[in-house]
Amino acid sequence: MTKKFRSKKAAERGANAAIYIILVIISVIWLFPFFFLVIQSLRGEEGASTMYFWPQQWTFDNYIGLFTDTDKFNFPRWYGITLVISVVVTLIQTTIVLITSYALSRLRFKMRKPLMNLMLVLGMFPGFMSMTAVYFILKLVGLTQNMGLVGLILVYVASSCMGYYICKGFFDTIPKSLDEAARIDGANRQTVFFKIILPLAKPIIIYTILTAFMAPWGEYMFASLIVNGDPDNFNIAVGLWEMLNRETINEYFTRFCAASVVVSIPITILFFCLQRYYVQGVTGGSVKG
Amino acid sequence: MKKKGIISLIACGAIAVGATLGMTACKSNKGITVWASQDEQETLKKMIAQFQEANPDFDTPINTGVVGAGDAVSKLSTDATVGADVYCYANDQLVELINYSALAPIPDTTVAKLKEENDANSVEAGLFNGKYYGYPYAADNGYFLYYNKSIMTEEDAGSLDTLLAKCEAEGKYFIYNMPEAWYTGAFFLGTGENCVGGTYTVEYEAKVVSKSYTNFGEKVSGSDYTIAQVGTQAMIELNKNSYFVSGDDKTISDYLNGNGKVTKFGACISGTWNAETIQKKLGDGYAATKLPKFHSTLTNKDYQMGSLTGYKLFGVNPNSKHLAEAHQLAAFLSGEQMQELRFNDLQTGPSNKKVAQLDAVKQNIALSALVAQAPYATMQGAFPGSYWDAMKGLGGNVQGLKPTITTVTVSDTDLSMTDALKKFIKDFETGMDE
């Protein structure tokens, strides 16, 4: 009886090689658009597009122009506005989500189940369906146009408590006995939340912050509707769209690419700093969702 | 410790909200708003300054917003009541804007003055149901031929076949956006001298299209072939040429840049918005003229290509709280001086007769090409969707040589082709009884 056995190590190595090749191919496909954007943003020649890939002249002028040549396209202002909106939204939304999740995870009250069901059903409606209605309500209250930024923030945080699922799932994994011990020692609900739950929930706080920040950062539809053409209140997406008009695209396309790269910086930084929490947050919350 | 953290977090939020409120609250909502594209903002501000200088007792503040002539409809369709008091629009959006109650009619006395000062068609472009709705300021919303003077003469550029032969000899390309409905009409429309003679008619009844039809099914004068056949055959012939490229403004940019050193641009059909880009790349080679003639293999004759042309006008929003002032401002912004300023700053083709006669305007290469094309141009009114769909469908079919058009010989014996063209003609029609 001669039966050939491949060693386990060799088999593993073969499988790993195959997996890595697939992963490399996928990551190249994924990263290529971003790579293309970076290359285009460093192109010195004007024009909306070129037939060749590598630029003939390399330059940083597109980036410099973005921040110095602000007469026509005031990028720094749009950047600032979007940053303010995103930061404010992040703060409010994170607070709301944490509070909601805590309440739904730890407290038992009569409307708990109906409330959760209601939120589930409401969550099924796509937000943009109600866009026109929301717009007219905001207009009625006077939160469009010049007050557009406040209106926008309101729109972005409006339904944020409905994003409690993952966070509540995470809270559920923290043993209840910790709460009970603290309660026996005389802590009230608030103390339990701040002193017991929050320190244990770092990953999920980070996760909430990240998702809350990203939503308004690149948002176009509501922003365009609510500011209604007032260039002082444009956010990045609305402002950059103006660069792509048929009159300006040839001159400004490379600068548009540079702007897109700059736009991705804060999110990249956030991710790099908070990455290890992010994975914990996503997976931790799903254990008991 | 943690509690403090959260409280400071909330405090930060409150401060940020306060800051935003403060930032926005100091701007008042009162006054007149004027919309123009980002590209035009600088010029618009100059114009407003001149207006305020000329009318010292005009004390309503004037603000500007960034919405170009192309986007006005979509912004106003959501809510015309908060739209700008004065805004730019292209005349093909006229009926739509009236439907959204976003255009106020112009007083009769002003209309007389507008007619006196401006090109007749440009004023008519704002006419609907006997009332005028716009102050014309630009007559350059059309297309014509740009060509590379260093590889062909103006005479060469007058014939599509010669043009393509020159391109081939030099290894350069001719770019035309075949499946884009706006351009596809070039092979059918036009009633000027030597044109194939296609027309398209739209009739309105109380703000809605009641009827639309073409004469593309009629015979070209002095031949046995219909306008649809002659035009389509010419498109098919063009599409076979390997030095023809179908593409949009991005493709034009591609071929202008060529390999980065040598341009691959031979000629293209486009409008004034590309003038600066093409001029910059071609330098001394930059030239423009009317569209070329195409040779029909069916009738063995040459036909002049037609085009669509439109105007841009200032509209006044009837919801304006300062209606009289808005009319006054719109009239000023579209006046002779302002059109001259607009030409100097933005090379906009003027609708004002006097400005059009200025030497600088006459010497502008792109604008004079547009003027040369004018006799063969069809005025683009508010065409319904069926027009654009039919044109786009045919352009796409020819370009992709889809099953409906498999053969290059268009004749009555080729049934599938005939059917396709019958459908093509039928597609333009709305509200027609058999």
Side-chain angles (χ1 to χ4, degrees):
Chain A
M1 265 185 58
T2 52
K3 196 175 173 187
K4 264 190 184 169
F5 286 104
R6 275 174 74 197
S7 76
K8 188 170 175 262
K9 211 173 172 185
E12 247 172 26
R13 213 178 280 153
N16 273 345
I19 288 168
Y20 274 106
I21 287 168
I22 294 169
L23 286 178
V24 165
I25 291 171
I26 291 176
S27 61
V28 165
I29 294 171
W30 270 30
L31 287 176
F32 187 76
F34 186 72
F35 183 64
F36 179 78
L37 206 63
V38 175
I39 297 290
Q40 291 295 310
S41 73
L42 296 171
R43 169 151 64 89
E45 311 94 89
E46 271 186 6
S49 76
T50 51
M51 290 162 103
Y52 45 86
F53 183 72
W54 299 104
Q56 310 263 330
Q57 296 159 274
W58 296 85
T59 176
F60 270 111
D61 285 353
N62 297 322
Y63 289 91
I64 297 164
L66 213 51
F67 291 96
T68 52
D69 178 17
T70 54
D71 287 346
K72 214 167 190 179
F73 295 104
N74 196 348
F75 182 74
R77 189 186 166 92
W78 302 336
Y79 203 81
I81 285 176
T82 317
L83 203 63
V84 169
I85 293 180
S86 296
V87 169
V88 174
V89 168
T90 308
L91 292 174
I92 302 178
Q93 189 162 334
T94 310
T95 315
I96 294 179
V97 168
L98 289 176
I99 293 171
T100 317
S101 312
Y102 177 72
L104 292 174
S105 166
R106 286 300 193 263
L107 307 184
R108 290 292 177 269
F109 48 96
K110 225 179 189 173
M111 284 296 285
R112 182 172 169 270
K113 268 275 142 93
L115 208 59
M116 282 165 73
N117 288 341
L118 182 72
M119 286 202 246
L120 188 73
V121 173
L122 281 179
M124 305 270 176
F125 291 101
F128 60 86
M129 299 277 239
S130 59
M131 203 159 75
T132 319
V134 168
Y135 168 75
F136 280 106
I137 294 168
L138 284 178
K139 190 185 144 204
L140 223 59
V141 194
L143 287 181
T144 54
Q145 296 202 305
N146 295 333
M147 292 292 281
L149 290 189
V150 184
L152 264 184
I153 292 175
L154 206 60
V155 167
Y156 295 145
V157 300
S159 59
S160 52
C161 70
M162 299 207 314
Y164 71 92
Y165 296 102
I166 293 179
C167 192
K168 175 188 170 286
F170 190 91
F171 285 172
D172 286 346
T173 62
I174 300 172
K176 265 204 158 165
S177 46
L178 282 177
D179 296 36
E180 282 155 10
R183 298 276 288 170
I184 289 167
D185 286 347
N188 58 11
R189 292 280 186 201
Q190 189 186 322
T191 320
V192 171
F193 178 62
F194 285 117
K195 294 255 164 86
I196 312 281
I197 303 287
L198 282 191
L200 287 169
K202 226 185 236 165
I204 205 67
I205 298 176
I206 304 289
Y207 166 79
T208 316
I209 288 175
L210 276 177
T211 45
F213 186 85
M214 263 152 53
W217 186 246
E219 208 272 343
Y220 177 83
M221 280 164 78
F222 265 112
S224 153
L225 191 67
I226 286 174
V227 299
N228 211 3
D230 179 359
D232 288 344
N233 282 337
F234 279 180
N235 76 355
I236 295 179
V238 178
L240 289 185
W241 179 246
E242 288 294 327
M243 281 191 188
L244 300 183
N245 272 333
R246 73 177 185 187
E247 283 86 4
T248 44
I249 185 168
N250 273 308
E251 200 177 333
Y252 285 94
F253 182 74
T254 47
R255 201 176 282 184
F256 170 83
C257 292
S260 311
V261 173
V262 175
V263 165
S264 66
I265 288 174
I267 295 187
T268 319
I269 292 175
L270 262 180
F271 258 95
F272 270 121
C273 299
L274 308 176
Q275 197 185 22
R276 66 201 167 98
Y277 297 107
Y278 184 75
V279 177
Q280 271 181 38
V282 178
T283 51
S286 61
V287 171
K288 203 180 175 191
Chain B
M1 272 297 279
K2 277 290 156 192
K3 194 171 169 184
K4 259 187 201 158
I6 291 291
I7 287 171
S8 58
L9 209 76
I10 294 168
C12 281
I15 290 166
V17 171
T20 337
L21 273 167
M23 211 159 81
T24 48
C26 59
K27 276 182 56 188
S28 88
N29 199 10
K30 302 257 158 56
I32 290 183
T33 309
V34 188
W35 276 350
S37 74
Q38 188 75 61
D39 201 39
E40 301 163 327
Q41 289 292 314
E42 212 173 302
T43 314
L44 182 65
K45 280 179 186 145
K46 272 193 225 167
M47 291 176 170
I48 291 171
Q50 289 199 22
F51 175 74
Q52 282 162 334
E53 207 173 292
N55 301 281
D57 47 347
F58 189 96
D59 49 8
T60 320
I62 304 171
N63 311 310
T64 60
V66 181
V67 177
D71 300 326
V73 162
S74 64
K75 282 271 179 257
L76 290 161
S77 64
T78 349
D79 186 1
T81 59
V82 297
D85 302 86
V86 178
Y87 59 89
C88 321
Y89 70 93
N91 72 301
D92 51 293
Q93 303 167 341
L94 179 72
V95 183
E96 219 176 323
L97 284 167
I98 292 174
N99 277 331
Y100 293 129
S101 311
L103 277 177
I106 297 170
D108 290 342
T109 46
T110 322
V111 173
K113 192 161 171 273
L114 285 178
K115 279 185 178 166
E116 192 182 303
E117 289 175 355
N118 290 284
D119 171 56
N121 279 334
S122 69
V123 186
E124 296 299 316
L127 176 67
F128 189 79
N129 272 357
K131 282 184 183 160
Y132 290 86
Y133 290 91
Y135 298 82
Y137 70 88
D140 59 0
N141 210 11
Y143 49 89
F144 47 87
L145 183 83
Y146 287 103
Y147 64 97
N148 191 340
K149 207 161 60 176
S150 51
I151 64 162
M152 64 182 89
T153 63
E154 185 166 358
E155 203 191 333
D156 296 333
S159 152
L160 195 56
D161 287 346
T162 330
L163 184 154
L164 286 164
K166 290 281 173 187
C167 283
E168 189 173 352
E170 300 283 338
K172 301 204 191 306
Y173 293 83
F174 167 60
I175 305 135
Y176 164 62
N177 203 347
M178 193 179 268
E180 172 66 46
W182 197 49
Y183 297 98
T184 313
F187 282 100
F188 304 95
L189 294 171
T191 49
E193 203 187 347
N194 296 324
C195 285
V196 277
T199 58
Y200 178 70
T201 318
V202 194
E203 287 170 18
Y204 291 95
E205 209 168 278
K207 296 187 189 175
V208 273
V209 176
S210 62
K211 228 187 197 182
S212 73
Y213 52 91
T214 65
N215 67 345
F216 293 180
E218 290 169 16
K219 299 263 193 297
V220 178
S221 65
S223 85
D224 290 335
Y225 296 94
T226 63
I227 294 169
Q229 285 173 327
V230 171
T232 312
Q233 178 66 46
M235 281 168 76
I236 292 170
E237 295 291 339
L238 174 62
N239 195 49
K240 281 195 294 186
N241 193 300
S242 44
Y243 287 85
F244 156 70
V245 181
S246 182
D248 58 5
D249 287 358
K250 276 199 167 169
T251 316
I252 294 174
S253 165
D254 274 349
Y255 282 84
L256 274 172
N257 274 318
N259 61 7
K261 292 184 187 74
V262 185
T263 178
K264 290 191 173 174
F265 179 91
C268 80
I269 293 180
S270 184
T272 46
W273 60 92
N274 262 327
E276 207 186 320
T277 313
I278 297 175
Q279 183 162 27
K280 228 185 249 174
K281 280 285 170 201
L282 293 187
D284 289 341
Y286 170 73
T289 183
K290 69 174 176 58
L291 293 180
K293 286 179 175 174
F294 66 83
H295 180 78
S296 172
T297 49
L298 296 177
T299 62
N300 208 17
K301 272 188 195 156
D302 288 349
Y303 298 98
Q304 173 63 42
M305 286 173 88
S307 66
L308 283 179
T309 185
Y311 300 88
K312 286 184 188 154
L313 306 95
F314 275 109
V316 172
N317 193 330
N319 302 297
S320 171
K321 290 194 180 73
H322 309 272
L323 203 55
E325 286 98 328
H327 275 293
Q328 190 188 348
L329 179 62
F332 182 87
L333 291 177
S334 63
E336 182 189 335
Q337 279 177 321
M338 293 303 106
Q339 289 203 21
E340 192 177 337
L341 175 68
R342 188 181 279 275
F343 168 77
N344 289 334
D345 279 13
L346 303 164
Q347 282 75 52
T348 308
S351 65
N352 185 291
K353 286 184 215 162
K354 277 187 197 155
V355 183
Q357 290 306 314
L358 291 176
D359 284 345
V361 179
K362 281 184 165 172
Q363 280 158 15
N364 184 297
I365 293 173
L367 290 180
S368 35
L370 199 64
V371 172
Q373 176 65 24
Y376 317 107
T378 300
M379 164 98 146
Q380 179 193 344
F383 290 3
S386 55
Y387 174 85
W388 307 112
D389 293 344
M391 280 295 182
K392 197 177 176 162
L394 184 81
N397 268 347
V398 171
Q399 195 205 0
L401 285 178
K402 293 228 175 88
T404 41
I405 295 172
T406 47
T407 166
V408 289
T409 38
V410 183
S411 71
D412 283 332
T413 51
D414 177 2
L415 201 65
S416 70
M417 187 66 223
T418 315
D419 282 348
L421 288 183
K422 267 187 191 156
K423 187 181 171 300
F424 171 61
I425 295 160
K426 192 88 189 129
D427 282 346
F428 286 102
E429 296 175 0
T430 47
M432 298 285 285
D433 295 322
E434 286 283 305

